[in-house]
């Protein structure tokens, strides 16, 4: 709640930052409306070694440098050097742009702590599923994670929560990460690009038109022994529930079954919603419910990690509809 980005810049326009703490409040309000529906857990701080398996030491150093910022101070990097000619110093906040991929992801004194607790929520959810206590668990992660790369933050993301738990879960068998956020999960794709034990699948708005622009095209399918273990489904503006669910049913689920994983991680963004200010799809609340049911029918232990979704008023309803579907509650 204390991580409060104020502004972002896109194509020269300054706008109010959409990744607000009100998002988490909207989700909590909907999930707690019926107190008997879910069991709630507060996250324990995770072991840093887990995060270090995914992210570079310099990124940690930079976030710790940002802890010294004044309360309320928002630092959006403004210099983005080409990397091959210089060495960057993560203890110098002026060098933040070296570790950042866009002008939408500011650093604040509370960012590091918030990002660690966000990853901790994901970890605790994964432990509930791994231990067999729950068939499915949801982590209310904020800030989100799927745009964070090994050594780059961006897209409102600082640590890649889905990747951190997938690295842990793959010790017990193959893992599928299914990314249903409106935007391509470029960070997760990069982290598992050469991995044949984690299948990464993303459905998203066509990057020709939508963030992150440089990745998410259909031809991107991994490299080395990871070749064939990344799959991208860019979809056009206006894609509605029936088209979206058809892609899941006819292309994505057969791919998951063929891979035969031990568990499933869902990078769950709700910016595919028809009213979302950042999205371009036309999904309705009922579609999230159906999607939850369909994913549940695959029959895998599942960890859901919150990613995007910026229509604050309806975000909680959409998350709840999805969770109701995946837990087969009417
Ligand atoms: Zn998104």
């Amino acid at each position: 709640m204390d991580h409060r980005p104020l502004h972002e810049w896109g194509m020269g326009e300054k706008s109010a930052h959409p990744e607000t703490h009100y998002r988490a409040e909207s989700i909590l309000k909907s999930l707690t409306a019926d107190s008997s529906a879910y069991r709630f857990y507060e996250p324990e701080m995770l072991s840093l070694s887990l995060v270090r398996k995914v992210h570079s030491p310099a990124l940690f150093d930079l976030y710790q440098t940002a802890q010294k910022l004044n309360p309320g101070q928002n630092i959006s990097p403004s210099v983005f050097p080409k990397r091959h000619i210089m060495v960057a110093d993560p203890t110098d906040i002026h060098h933040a742009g070296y570790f950042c991929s866009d002008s939408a992801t500011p650093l604040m004194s509370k960012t590091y702590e918030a990002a660690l607790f966000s990853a901790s929520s994901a970890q605790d959810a994964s432990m509930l599923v791994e231990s067999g206590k729950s068939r499915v668990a949801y982590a209310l992660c904020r800030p989100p994670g799927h745009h964070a790369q090994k050594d780059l933050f961006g897209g409102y993301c600082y640590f890649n929560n889905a990747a951190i738990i997938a690295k842990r879960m793959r010790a017990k068998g193959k893992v599928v990460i299914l990314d249903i956020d409106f935007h391509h999960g470029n960070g997760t794709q990069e982290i598992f690009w050469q991995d044949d034990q984690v299948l990464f699948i993303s459905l998203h708005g066509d990057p020709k038109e939508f963030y992150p622009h440089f990745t998410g095209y259909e031809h991107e399918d991994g490299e080395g022994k990871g070749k064939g273990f990344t799959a991208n489904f860019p979809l056009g503006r206006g894609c509605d529930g029936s088209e979206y669910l058809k892609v899941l049913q006819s292309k994505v689920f057969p791919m998951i079954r063929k891979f035969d994983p031990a568990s499933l991680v869902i990078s769950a963004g709700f910016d595919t919603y028809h009213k979302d200010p950042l999205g371009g799809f036309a999904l309705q609340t009922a579609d999230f419910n159906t999607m939850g049911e369909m994913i549940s029918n695959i029959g895998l232990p599942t960890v859901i990690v919150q990613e995007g979704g910026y229509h604050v008023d309806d975000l909680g309803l959409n998350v709840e509809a999805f969770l109701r579907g995946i837990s087969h509650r009417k």
Side-chain angles (χ1 to χ4, degrees):
M1 292 295 183
D2 288 337
H3 167 77
R4 298 190 178 190
L6 295 177
H7 301 107
E8 66 169 335
W9 277 261
M11 301 302 282
E13 297 286 330
K14 182 182 181 182
S15 49
H17 207 289
E19 206 289 282
T20 66
H21 63 287
Y22 298 116
R23 299 177 58 245
E25 287 176 355
S26 168
I27 296 170
L28 266 181
K29 191 176 154 206
S30 285
L31 298 188
T32 51
D34 174 2
S35 59
S36 65
Y38 303 102
R39 274 177 293 156
F40 294 87
Y41 301 85
E42 290 210 7
E44 306 274 334
M45 181 60 87
L46 85 176
S47 93
L48 287 184
S49 64
L50 206 63
V51 190
R52 290 191 196 281
K53 282 189 180 145
V54 170
H55 293 290
S56 70
L59 211 50
F60 284 81
D61 293 345
L62 178 70
Y63 296 159
Q64 283 168 341
T65 303
Q67 285 187 302
K68 297 179 196 122
L69 294 169
N70 296 323
Q73 198 179 0
N74 265 241
I75 295 290
S76 285
S78 47
V79 182
F80 299 92
K82 298 297 174 195
R83 284 179 162 221
H84 55 287
I85 48 166
M86 74 287 291
V87 176
D89 176 5
T91 66
D92 182 349
I93 200 73
H94 298 99
H95 285 198
Y98 183 87
F99 307 97
C100 182
S101 57
D102 61 38
S103 55
T105 316
L107 293 171
M108 283 140 275
S109 62
K110 297 290 186 182
T111 298
Y112 182 52
E113 200 183 351
L116 282 179
F117 269 111
S118 189
S120 302
S121 301
Q123 172 186 253
D124 281 8
S126 76
M127 282 165 68
L128 282 170
V129 170
E130 278 174 56
S131 67
K133 277 190 194 154
S134 294
R135 180 181 61 83
V136 55
Y138 161 79
L140 204 180
C141 296
R142 185 181 167 269
H146 72 149
H147 296 304
Q149 298 176 229
K150 285 177 196 147
D151 61 352
L152 284 172
F153 65 102
Y156 318 158
C157 303
Y158 303 86
F159 289 135
N160 194 313
N161 306 313
I164 288 165
I165 60 167
K167 283 250 178 190
R168 196 197 133 90
M169 290 160 75
R170 82 198 264 274
K172 291 194 177 169
K174 294 190 291 185
V175 179
V176 168
I177 303 175
L178 173 58
D179 191 323
I180 54 170
D181 187 275
F182 176 74
H183 303 95
H184 178 237
N186 57 320
T188 317
Q189 170 167 299
E190 184 233 30
I191 290 162
F192 297 108
W193 188 240
Q194 299 194 23
D195 198 321
D196 62 353
Q197 298 300 298
V198 176
L199 170 62
F200 174 66
I201 306 172
S202 181
L203 287 79
H204 46 264
D206 191 333
K208 267 195 199 120
E209 187 177 359
F210 299 105
Y211 185 92
H213 300 295
F214 292 99
T215 60
Y217 295 95
E218 217 167 338
H219 68 267
E220 297 162 23
D221 66 348
E223 197 177 80
K225 73 177 165 67
K227 183 85 178 160
F229 297 97
T230 289
N232 285 300
F233 296 95
L235 303 167
R237 181 183 277 279
C239 170
D240 64 6
S242 71
E243 183 187 350
Y244 193 94
L245 297 175
K246 208 158 111 188
V247 175
L248 277 180
Q249 197 74 274
S250 65
K251 296 185 176 164
V252 173
F253 294 162
M255 205 176 256
I256 295 176
R257 288 197 188 93
K258 190 172 166 215
F259 185 66
D260 192 23
S263 54
L264 180 60
V265 174
I266 308 286
S267 265
F270 295 84
D271 36 8
T272 51
Y273 185 48
H274 69 112
K275 293 189 209 166
D276 196 279
L278 269 63
F281 288 172
L283 271 69
Q284 308 279 337
T285 303
D287 295 319
F288 295 115
N289 186 253
T290 309
M291 207 192 306
E293 278 177 19
M294 286 165 65
I295 290 171
S296 171
N297 289 337
I298 305 173
L300 288 166
T302 301
V303 185
I304 304 152
V305 174
Q306 180 66 43
E307 302 285 2
Y310 304 97
H311 189 283
V312 173
D313 287 349
D314 295 351
L315 176 59
L317 298 175
N318 290 335
V319 172
E320 209 279 328
F322 182 75
L323 295 184
R324 199 162 7 96
I326 210 163
S327 53
H328 288 292
R329 287 191 312 106
K330 292 293 165 207

PDB file of all heavy atoms in Angstrom, residues 43-48 51 60 63-64 67 110-123 142-143 158-159 161 164:
ATOM      1  N   PRO A  43       1.269 -12.685   4.032  1.00  0.00           N
ATOM      2  CA  PRO A  43       2.540 -13.285   3.615  1.00  0.00           C
ATOM      3  C   PRO A  43       3.650 -13.123   4.654  1.00  0.00           C
ATOM      4  O   PRO A  43       3.728 -12.115   5.338  1.00  0.00           O
ATOM      5  CB  PRO A  43       2.889 -12.510   2.345  1.00  0.00           C
ATOM      6  CG  PRO A  43       2.182 -11.212   2.473  1.00  0.00           C
ATOM      7  CD  PRO A  43       0.931 -11.487   3.262  1.00  0.00           C
ATOM      8  N   GLU A  44       4.490 -14.156   4.721  1.00  0.00           N
ATOM      9  CA  GLU A  44       5.731 -14.067   5.494  1.00  0.00           C
ATOM     10  C   GLU A  44       6.802 -13.552   4.518  1.00  0.00           C
ATOM     11  O   GLU A  44       6.750 -13.879   3.344  1.00  0.00           O
ATOM     12  CB  GLU A  44       6.184 -15.469   5.935  1.00  0.00           C
ATOM     13  CG  GLU A  44       5.141 -16.259   6.689  1.00  0.00           C
ATOM     14  CD  GLU A  44       5.167 -15.941   8.171  1.00  0.00           C
ATOM     15  OE1 GLU A  44       6.237 -15.531   8.652  1.00  0.00           O
ATOM     16  OE2 GLU A  44       4.120 -16.086   8.812  1.00  0.00           O
ATOM     17  N   MET A  45       7.749 -12.774   5.037  1.00  0.00           N
ATOM     18  CA  MET A  45       8.819 -12.302   4.139  1.00  0.00           C
ATOM     19  C   MET A  45       9.602 -13.488   3.603  1.00  0.00           C
ATOM     20  O   MET A  45      10.018 -14.367   4.358  1.00  0.00           O
ATOM     21  CB  MET A  45       9.742 -11.343   4.904  1.00  0.00           C
ATOM     22  CG  MET A  45      10.876 -10.783   4.064  1.00  0.00           C
ATOM     23  SD  MET A  45      10.337  -9.840   2.618  1.00  0.00           S
ATOM     24  CE  MET A  45      10.130  -8.198   3.295  1.00  0.00           C
ATOM     25  N   LEU A  46       9.777 -13.525   2.295  1.00  0.00           N
ATOM     26  CA  LEU A  46      10.416 -14.689   1.685  1.00  0.00           C
ATOM     27  C   LEU A  46      11.943 -14.643   1.814  1.00  0.00           C
ATOM     28  O   LEU A  46      12.500 -13.611   2.159  1.00  0.00           O
ATOM     29  CB  LEU A  46      10.024 -14.813   0.219  1.00  0.00           C
ATOM     30  CG  LEU A  46      10.788 -14.050  -0.870  1.00  0.00           C
ATOM     31  CD1 LEU A  46      10.254 -14.419  -2.228  1.00  0.00           C
ATOM     32  CD2 LEU A  46      10.765 -12.570  -0.675  1.00  0.00           C
ATOM     33  N   SER A  47      12.576 -15.760   1.527  1.00  0.00           N
ATOM     34  CA  SER A  47      14.031 -15.770   1.573  1.00  0.00           C
ATOM     35  C   SER A  47      14.552 -15.128   0.291  1.00  0.00           C
ATOM     36  O   SER A  47      14.071 -15.398  -0.805  1.00  0.00           O
ATOM     37  CB  SER A  47      14.547 -17.202   1.710  1.00  0.00           C
ATOM     38  OG  SER A  47      14.805 -17.748   0.460  1.00  0.00           O
ATOM     39  N   LEU A  48      15.525 -14.233   0.473  1.00  0.00           N
ATOM     40  CA  LEU A  48      16.034 -13.492  -0.680  1.00  0.00           C
ATOM     41  C   LEU A  48      16.710 -14.404  -1.687  1.00  0.00           C
ATOM     42  O   LEU A  48      16.793 -14.089  -2.873  1.00  0.00           O
ATOM     43  CB  LEU A  48      17.026 -12.431  -0.208  1.00  0.00           C
ATOM     44  CG  LEU A  48      16.397 -11.237   0.507  1.00  0.00           C
ATOM     45  CD1 LEU A  48      17.464 -10.215   0.850  1.00  0.00           C
ATOM     46  CD2 LEU A  48      15.319 -10.586  -0.334  1.00  0.00           C
ATOM     47  N   VAL A  51      14.634 -15.020  -4.686  1.00  0.00           N
ATOM     48  CA  VAL A  51      14.574 -13.916  -5.656  1.00  0.00           C
ATOM     49  C   VAL A  51      15.893 -13.832  -6.422  1.00  0.00           C
ATOM     50  O   VAL A  51      15.921 -13.532  -7.613  1.00  0.00           O
ATOM     51  CB  VAL A  51      14.278 -12.571  -4.944  1.00  0.00           C
ATOM     52  CG1 VAL A  51      13.974 -11.486  -5.963  1.00  0.00           C
ATOM     53  CG2 VAL A  51      13.105 -12.721  -3.990  1.00  0.00           C
ATOM     54  N   PHE A  60      18.874  -5.506  -6.931  1.00  0.00           N
ATOM     55  CA  PHE A  60      18.672  -5.374  -5.477  1.00  0.00           C
ATOM     56  C   PHE A  60      19.362  -4.113  -4.958  1.00  0.00           C
ATOM     57  O   PHE A  60      18.799  -3.358  -4.171  1.00  0.00           O
ATOM     58  CB  PHE A  60      19.286  -6.566  -4.734  1.00  0.00           C
ATOM     59  CG  PHE A  60      18.476  -7.810  -4.825  1.00  0.00           C
ATOM     60  CD1 PHE A  60      18.541  -8.610  -5.950  1.00  0.00           C
ATOM     61  CD2 PHE A  60      17.654  -8.187  -3.781  1.00  0.00           C
ATOM     62  CE1 PHE A  60      17.796  -9.764  -6.038  1.00  0.00           C
ATOM     63  CE2 PHE A  60      16.903  -9.343  -3.864  1.00  0.00           C
ATOM     64  CZ  PHE A  60      16.978 -10.137  -4.990  1.00  0.00           C
ATOM     65  N   TYR A  63      17.395  -0.979  -5.853  1.00  0.00           N
ATOM     66  CA  TYR A  63      16.176  -0.791  -5.041  1.00  0.00           C
ATOM     67  C   TYR A  63      16.545  -0.342  -3.625  1.00  0.00           C
ATOM     68  O   TYR A  63      15.830   0.440  -3.005  1.00  0.00           O
ATOM     69  CB  TYR A  63      15.349  -2.088  -4.974  1.00  0.00           C
ATOM     70  CG  TYR A  63      14.802  -2.567  -6.307  1.00  0.00           C
ATOM     71  CD1 TYR A  63      14.436  -3.902  -6.487  1.00  0.00           C
ATOM     72  CD2 TYR A  63      14.642  -1.696  -7.380  1.00  0.00           C
ATOM     73  CE1 TYR A  63      13.930  -4.360  -7.697  1.00  0.00           C
ATOM     74  CE2 TYR A  63      14.127  -2.151  -8.594  1.00  0.00           C
ATOM     75  CZ  TYR A  63      13.784  -3.486  -8.746  1.00  0.00           C
ATOM     76  OH  TYR A  63      13.287  -3.932  -9.938  1.00  0.00           O
ATOM     77  N   GLN A  64      17.668  -0.856  -3.117  1.00  0.00           N
ATOM     78  CA  GLN A  64      18.106  -0.426  -1.782  1.00  0.00           C
ATOM     79  C   GLN A  64      18.579   1.024  -1.818  1.00  0.00           C
ATOM     80  O   GLN A  64      18.362   1.773  -0.866  1.00  0.00           O
ATOM     81  CB  GLN A  64      19.196  -1.358  -1.258  1.00  0.00           C
ATOM     82  CG  GLN A  64      18.565  -2.653  -0.759  1.00  0.00           C
ATOM     83  CD  GLN A  64      19.558  -3.772  -0.486  1.00  0.00           C
ATOM     84  OE1 GLN A  64      20.684  -3.754  -0.973  1.00  0.00           O
ATOM     85  NE2 GLN A  64      19.125  -4.752   0.261  1.00  0.00           N
ATOM     86  N   GLN A  67      15.648   3.165  -1.497  1.00  0.00           N
ATOM     87  CA  GLN A  67      15.067   3.247  -0.145  1.00  0.00           C
ATOM     88  C   GLN A  67      15.454   4.544   0.562  1.00  0.00           C
ATOM     89  O   GLN A  67      14.791   4.965   1.493  1.00  0.00           O
ATOM     90  CB  GLN A  67      15.523   2.061   0.707  1.00  0.00           C
ATOM     91  CG  GLN A  67      14.821   0.764   0.349  1.00  0.00           C
ATOM     92  CD  GLN A  67      15.177  -0.354   1.324  1.00  0.00           C
ATOM     93  OE1 GLN A  67      16.350  -0.679   1.482  1.00  0.00           O
ATOM     94  NE2 GLN A  67      14.183  -0.917   1.970  1.00  0.00           N
ATOM     95  N   LYS A 110       9.646   3.152  -0.740  1.00  0.00           N
ATOM     96  CA  LYS A 110       8.959   1.938  -0.284  1.00  0.00           C
ATOM     97  C   LYS A 110       8.864   0.855  -1.370  1.00  0.00           C
ATOM     98  O   LYS A 110       8.240  -0.191  -1.145  1.00  0.00           O
ATOM     99  CB  LYS A 110       7.541   2.282   0.176  1.00  0.00           C
ATOM    100  CG  LYS A 110       7.492   3.215   1.372  1.00  0.00           C
ATOM    101  CD  LYS A 110       7.964   2.516   2.636  1.00  0.00           C
ATOM    102  CE  LYS A 110       7.787   3.408   3.855  1.00  0.00           C
ATOM    103  NZ  LYS A 110       8.279   2.764   5.068  1.00  0.00           N
ATOM    104  N   THR A 111       9.453   1.117  -2.528  1.00  0.00           N
ATOM    105  CA  THR A 111       9.306   0.172  -3.646  1.00  0.00           C
ATOM    106  C   THR A 111       9.918  -1.192  -3.326  1.00  0.00           C
ATOM    107  O   THR A 111       9.312  -2.239  -3.584  1.00  0.00           O
ATOM    108  CB  THR A 111       9.962   0.757  -4.916  1.00  0.00           C
ATOM    109  OG1 THR A 111       9.273   1.960  -5.249  1.00  0.00           O
ATOM    110  CG2 THR A 111       9.891  -0.215  -6.089  1.00  0.00           C
ATOM    111  N   TYR A 112      11.112  -1.172  -2.768  1.00  0.00           N
ATOM    112  CA  TYR A 112      11.824  -2.431  -2.515  1.00  0.00           C
ATOM    113  C   TYR A 112      11.018  -3.335  -1.579  1.00  0.00           C
ATOM    114  O   TYR A 112      10.789  -4.513  -1.861  1.00  0.00           O
ATOM    115  CB  TYR A 112      13.194  -2.108  -1.907  1.00  0.00           C
ATOM    116  CG  TYR A 112      14.073  -3.310  -1.623  1.00  0.00           C
ATOM    117  CD1 TYR A 112      14.342  -4.257  -2.608  1.00  0.00           C
ATOM    118  CD2 TYR A 112      14.656  -3.468  -0.366  1.00  0.00           C
ATOM    119  CE1 TYR A 112      15.158  -5.349  -2.341  1.00  0.00           C
ATOM    120  CE2 TYR A 112      15.479  -4.556  -0.095  1.00  0.00           C
ATOM    121  CZ  TYR A 112      15.721  -5.493  -1.088  1.00  0.00           C
ATOM    122  OH  TYR A 112      16.536  -6.567  -0.816  1.00  0.00           O
ATOM    123  N   GLU A 113      10.563  -2.746  -0.488  1.00  0.00           N
ATOM    124  CA  GLU A 113       9.794  -3.517   0.491  1.00  0.00           C
ATOM    125  C   GLU A 113       8.504  -4.059  -0.131  1.00  0.00           C
ATOM    126  O   GLU A 113       8.132  -5.227   0.062  1.00  0.00           O
ATOM    127  CB  GLU A 113       9.475  -2.609   1.680  1.00  0.00           C
ATOM    128  CG  GLU A 113       9.120  -3.358   2.919  1.00  0.00           C
ATOM    129  CD  GLU A 113       8.736  -2.400   4.055  1.00  0.00           C
ATOM    130  OE1 GLU A 113       8.910  -1.165   3.912  1.00  0.00           O
ATOM    131  OE2 GLU A 113       8.246  -2.899   5.074  1.00  0.00           O
ATOM    132  N   ALA A 114       7.824  -3.206  -0.903  1.00  0.00           N
ATOM    133  CA  ALA A 114       6.563  -3.638  -1.537  1.00  0.00           C
ATOM    134  C   ALA A 114       6.823  -4.777  -2.527  1.00  0.00           C
ATOM    135  O   ALA A 114       6.084  -5.765  -2.567  1.00  0.00           O
ATOM    136  CB  ALA A 114       5.913  -2.459  -2.253  1.00  0.00           C
ATOM    137  N   ALA A 115       7.888  -4.636  -3.310  1.00  0.00           N
ATOM    138  CA  ALA A 115       8.196  -5.675  -4.311  1.00  0.00           C
ATOM    139  C   ALA A 115       8.556  -6.994  -3.620  1.00  0.00           C
ATOM    140  O   ALA A 115       8.174  -8.071  -4.075  1.00  0.00           O
ATOM    141  CB  ALA A 115       9.336  -5.211  -5.220  1.00  0.00           C
ATOM    142  N   LEU A 116       9.271  -6.900  -2.488  1.00  0.00           N
ATOM    143  CA  LEU A 116       9.612  -8.130  -1.757  1.00  0.00           C
ATOM    144  C   LEU A 116       8.364  -8.798  -1.180  1.00  0.00           C
ATOM    145  O   LEU A 116       8.216 -10.018  -1.243  1.00  0.00           O
ATOM    146  CB  LEU A 116      10.594  -7.821  -0.612  1.00  0.00           C
ATOM    147  CG  LEU A 116      12.046  -7.621  -1.011  1.00  0.00           C
ATOM    148  CD1 LEU A 116      12.877  -7.307   0.236  1.00  0.00           C
ATOM    149  CD2 LEU A 116      12.624  -8.849  -1.715  1.00  0.00           C
ATOM    150  N   PHE A 117       7.456  -7.996  -0.640  1.00  0.00           N
ATOM    151  CA  PHE A 117       6.231  -8.591  -0.084  1.00  0.00           C
ATOM    152  C   PHE A 117       5.323  -9.133  -1.186  1.00  0.00           C
ATOM    153  O   PHE A 117       4.612 -10.120  -0.980  1.00  0.00           O
ATOM    154  CB  PHE A 117       5.485  -7.610   0.823  1.00  0.00           C
ATOM    155  CG  PHE A 117       5.921  -7.736   2.258  1.00  0.00           C
ATOM    156  CD1 PHE A 117       6.633  -6.726   2.870  1.00  0.00           C
ATOM    157  CD2 PHE A 117       5.639  -8.891   2.979  1.00  0.00           C
ATOM    158  CE1 PHE A 117       7.066  -6.855   4.191  1.00  0.00           C
ATOM    159  CE2 PHE A 117       6.065  -9.032   4.290  1.00  0.00           C
ATOM    160  CZ  PHE A 117       6.772  -8.013   4.902  1.00  0.00           C
ATOM    161  N   SER A 118       5.371  -8.487  -2.351  1.00  0.00           N
ATOM    162  CA  SER A 118       4.598  -8.984  -3.481  1.00  0.00           C
ATOM    163  C   SER A 118       5.099 -10.386  -3.860  1.00  0.00           C
ATOM    164  O   SER A 118       4.323 -11.335  -4.001  1.00  0.00           O
ATOM    165  CB  SER A 118       4.755  -8.008  -4.653  1.00  0.00           C
ATOM    166  OG  SER A 118       3.886  -8.329  -5.697  1.00  0.00           O
ATOM    167  N   ALA A 119       6.425 -10.517  -3.949  1.00  0.00           N
ATOM    168  CA  ALA A 119       7.016 -11.832  -4.256  1.00  0.00           C
ATOM    169  C   ALA A 119       6.741 -12.816  -3.117  1.00  0.00           C
ATOM    170  O   ALA A 119       6.528 -14.015  -3.349  1.00  0.00           O
ATOM    171  CB  ALA A 119       8.517 -11.689  -4.490  1.00  0.00           C
ATOM    172  N   SER A 120       6.712 -12.304  -1.887  1.00  0.00           N
ATOM    173  CA  SER A 120       6.437 -13.176  -0.736  1.00  0.00           C
ATOM    174  C   SER A 120       5.031 -13.757  -0.811  1.00  0.00           C
ATOM    175  O   SER A 120       4.806 -14.925  -0.474  1.00  0.00           O
ATOM    176  CB  SER A 120       6.582 -12.392   0.572  1.00  0.00           C
ATOM    177  OG  SER A 120       7.867 -11.843   0.681  1.00  0.00           O
ATOM    178  N   SER A 121       4.070 -12.935  -1.253  1.00  0.00           N
ATOM    179  CA  SER A 121       2.695 -13.419  -1.397  1.00  0.00           C
ATOM    180  C   SER A 121       2.649 -14.569  -2.392  1.00  0.00           C
ATOM    181  O   SER A 121       1.983 -15.584  -2.163  1.00  0.00           O
ATOM    182  CB  SER A 121       1.779 -12.303  -1.902  1.00  0.00           C
ATOM    183  OG  SER A 121       1.792 -11.233  -1.020  1.00  0.00           O
ATOM    184  N   ALA A 122       3.376 -14.377  -3.495  1.00  0.00           N
ATOM    185  CA  ALA A 122       3.414 -15.437  -4.514  1.00  0.00           C
ATOM    186  C   ALA A 122       4.034 -16.698  -3.931  1.00  0.00           C
ATOM    187  O   ALA A 122       3.546 -17.815  -4.134  1.00  0.00           O
ATOM    188  CB  ALA A 122       4.192 -14.963  -5.733  1.00  0.00           C
ATOM    189  N   GLN A 123       5.115 -16.514  -3.183  1.00  0.00           N
ATOM    190  CA  GLN A 123       5.778 -17.681  -2.605  1.00  0.00           C
ATOM    191  C   GLN A 123       4.853 -18.434  -1.646  1.00  0.00           C
ATOM    192  O   GLN A 123       4.750 -19.663  -1.694  1.00  0.00           O
ATOM    193  CB  GLN A 123       7.038 -17.284  -1.848  1.00  0.00           C
ATOM    194  CG  GLN A 123       7.594 -18.490  -1.102  1.00  0.00           C
ATOM    195  CD  GLN A 123       8.766 -18.184  -0.213  1.00  0.00           C
ATOM    196  OE1 GLN A 123       9.865 -18.544  -0.554  1.00  0.00           O
ATOM    197  NE2 GLN A 123       8.531 -17.536   0.903  1.00  0.00           N
ATOM    198  N   ARG A 142       1.073  -6.990  -5.510  1.00  0.00           N
ATOM    199  CA  ARG A 142       1.185  -5.626  -5.988  1.00  0.00           C
ATOM    200  C   ARG A 142       2.486  -5.067  -5.420  1.00  0.00           C
ATOM    201  O   ARG A 142       2.637  -5.116  -4.202  1.00  0.00           O
ATOM    202  CB  ARG A 142      -0.024  -4.795  -5.534  1.00  0.00           C
ATOM    203  CG  ARG A 142       0.007  -3.433  -6.099  1.00  0.00           C
ATOM    204  CD  ARG A 142      -1.086  -2.484  -5.727  1.00  0.00           C
ATOM    205  NE  ARG A 142      -0.577  -1.187  -6.171  1.00  0.00           N
ATOM    206  CZ  ARG A 142       0.127  -0.386  -5.387  1.00  0.00           C
ATOM    207  NH1 ARG A 142       0.354  -0.678  -4.138  1.00  0.00           N
ATOM    208  NH2 ARG A 142       0.616   0.721  -5.868  1.00  0.00           N
ATOM    209  N   PRO A 143       3.388  -4.521  -6.191  1.00  0.00           N
ATOM    210  CA  PRO A 143       3.339  -4.357  -7.641  1.00  0.00           C
ATOM    211  C   PRO A 143       3.325  -5.692  -8.391  1.00  0.00           C
ATOM    212  O   PRO A 143       3.731  -6.715  -7.837  1.00  0.00           O
ATOM    213  CB  PRO A 143       4.630  -3.581  -7.954  1.00  0.00           C
ATOM    214  CG  PRO A 143       5.549  -3.843  -6.812  1.00  0.00           C
ATOM    215  CD  PRO A 143       4.656  -4.005  -5.623  1.00  0.00           C
ATOM    216  N   TYR A 158       8.810  -4.941 -10.728  1.00  0.00           N
ATOM    217  CA  TYR A 158      10.152  -4.836 -10.153  1.00  0.00           C
ATOM    218  C   TYR A 158      10.793  -6.209  -9.929  1.00  0.00           C
ATOM    219  O   TYR A 158      11.947  -6.425 -10.261  1.00  0.00           O
ATOM    220  CB  TYR A 158      10.092  -4.035  -8.847  1.00  0.00           C
ATOM    221  CG  TYR A 158       9.484  -2.664  -9.062  1.00  0.00           C
ATOM    222  CD1 TYR A 158       8.099  -2.473  -9.027  1.00  0.00           C
ATOM    223  CD2 TYR A 158      10.287  -1.572  -9.389  1.00  0.00           C
ATOM    224  CE1 TYR A 158       7.538  -1.228  -9.268  1.00  0.00           C
ATOM    225  CE2 TYR A 158       9.739  -0.318  -9.635  1.00  0.00           C
ATOM    226  CZ  TYR A 158       8.351  -0.158  -9.575  1.00  0.00           C
ATOM    227  OH  TYR A 158       7.798   1.070  -9.837  1.00  0.00           O
ATOM    228  N   PHE A 159      10.042  -7.134  -9.348  1.00  0.00           N
ATOM    229  CA  PHE A 159      10.476  -8.533  -9.272  1.00  0.00           C
ATOM    230  C   PHE A 159       9.416  -9.374  -9.982  1.00  0.00           C
ATOM    231  O   PHE A 159       8.220  -9.108  -9.860  1.00  0.00           O
ATOM    232  CB  PHE A 159      10.603  -9.019  -7.828  1.00  0.00           C
ATOM    233  CG  PHE A 159      11.766  -8.434  -7.067  1.00  0.00           C
ATOM    234  CD1 PHE A 159      11.600  -7.973  -5.760  1.00  0.00           C
ATOM    235  CD2 PHE A 159      13.035  -8.357  -7.631  1.00  0.00           C
ATOM    236  CE1 PHE A 159      12.665  -7.441  -5.056  1.00  0.00           C
ATOM    237  CE2 PHE A 159      14.105  -7.815  -6.928  1.00  0.00           C
ATOM    238  CZ  PHE A 159      13.924  -7.360  -5.638  1.00  0.00           C
ATOM    239  N   ASN A 161       7.243 -12.090  -9.986  1.00  0.00           N
ATOM    240  CA  ASN A 161       6.659 -13.007  -8.989  1.00  0.00           C
ATOM    241  C   ASN A 161       6.389 -14.398  -9.565  1.00  0.00           C
ATOM    242  O   ASN A 161       6.688 -15.413  -8.929  1.00  0.00           O
ATOM    243  CB  ASN A 161       5.375 -12.397  -8.438  1.00  0.00           C
ATOM    244  CG  ASN A 161       5.599 -10.993  -7.900  1.00  0.00           C
ATOM    245  OD1 ASN A 161       6.547 -10.772  -7.159  1.00  0.00           O
ATOM    246  ND2 ASN A 161       4.759 -10.052  -8.292  1.00  0.00           N
ATOM    247  N   ILE A 164       9.691 -16.250 -10.099  1.00  0.00           N
ATOM    248  CA  ILE A 164      10.322 -16.640  -8.832  1.00  0.00           C
ATOM    249  C   ILE A 164       9.707 -17.941  -8.309  1.00  0.00           C
ATOM    250  O   ILE A 164      10.423 -18.867  -7.917  1.00  0.00           O
ATOM    251  CB  ILE A 164      10.192 -15.489  -7.801  1.00  0.00           C
ATOM    252  CG1 ILE A 164      11.116 -14.340  -8.205  1.00  0.00           C
ATOM    253  CG2 ILE A 164      10.512 -15.973  -6.389  1.00  0.00           C
ATOM    254  CD1 ILE A 164      10.838 -13.028  -7.494  1.00  0.00           C
TER     255      ILE A 164
END
